[in-house]
Amino acid sequence: MSAEIIGTYAVAVALLIGSIFALVGAIGLLRFNDSMIRLHAPTKVGTVGIGSLLLASMIHAYTFGDGSMHEVLIMAFLFVTAPISANFIAKVNIHKRACDTPPAPPRDETWSTLNVPEADRDIDTSKAG
């Protein structure tokens, strides 16, 4: 068995894993009801699914010719930005009271995301988008 055949199988497996995660993420985005639960599906696609597709691209590039490191930079950028954007989306949902408020922390007075100034607590968020 040559390296090209092994590389072809590795690319196929990585593409299959990435495609399955993309499909499951799309189904989860459509099927889940709550916005906080719905947030879970695209974040998994953003990390594991896209990471697997980029890994397939790297294996193909190194197996059949000139290798490329662009995918590593894309993965690094994606792995750094996806959790941060998901965290901000979750905080917006908590502040808009679009989901159940998390329980009180056992040791701290307030969570940093729920420390809303007194003047902002009377703002009616039901009219906002």
Side-chain angles (χ1 to χ4, degrees), residues 49-81:
I50 301 298
S52 181
L53 295 176
L54 290 172
L55 182 65
S57 176
M58 284 181 62
I59 293 170
H60 184 271
Y62 279 108
T63 302
F64 295 106
D66 48 338
S68 172
M69 292 298 289
H70 298 126
E71 291 87 354
V72 173
L73 295 175
I74 294 170
M75 273 195 252
F77 179 75
L78 194 66
F79 288 170
V80 169
T81 58

Side-chain angles (χ1 to χ4, degrees), residues 21 27 29-30 38 61 69 85 96 101 103 106 112 115 117 122:
F21 269 89
I27 291 171
L29 191 62
L30 293 174
R38 192 179 296 157
M69 292 298 289
S85 62
K96 289 181 72 177
T101 304
S112 63
N115 191 10
D122 295 332

Side-chain angles (χ1 to χ4, degrees), residues 3 11 16 105 111 119 123 126:
V11 167
L16 185 65
W111 290 5
I123 296 174
S126 63

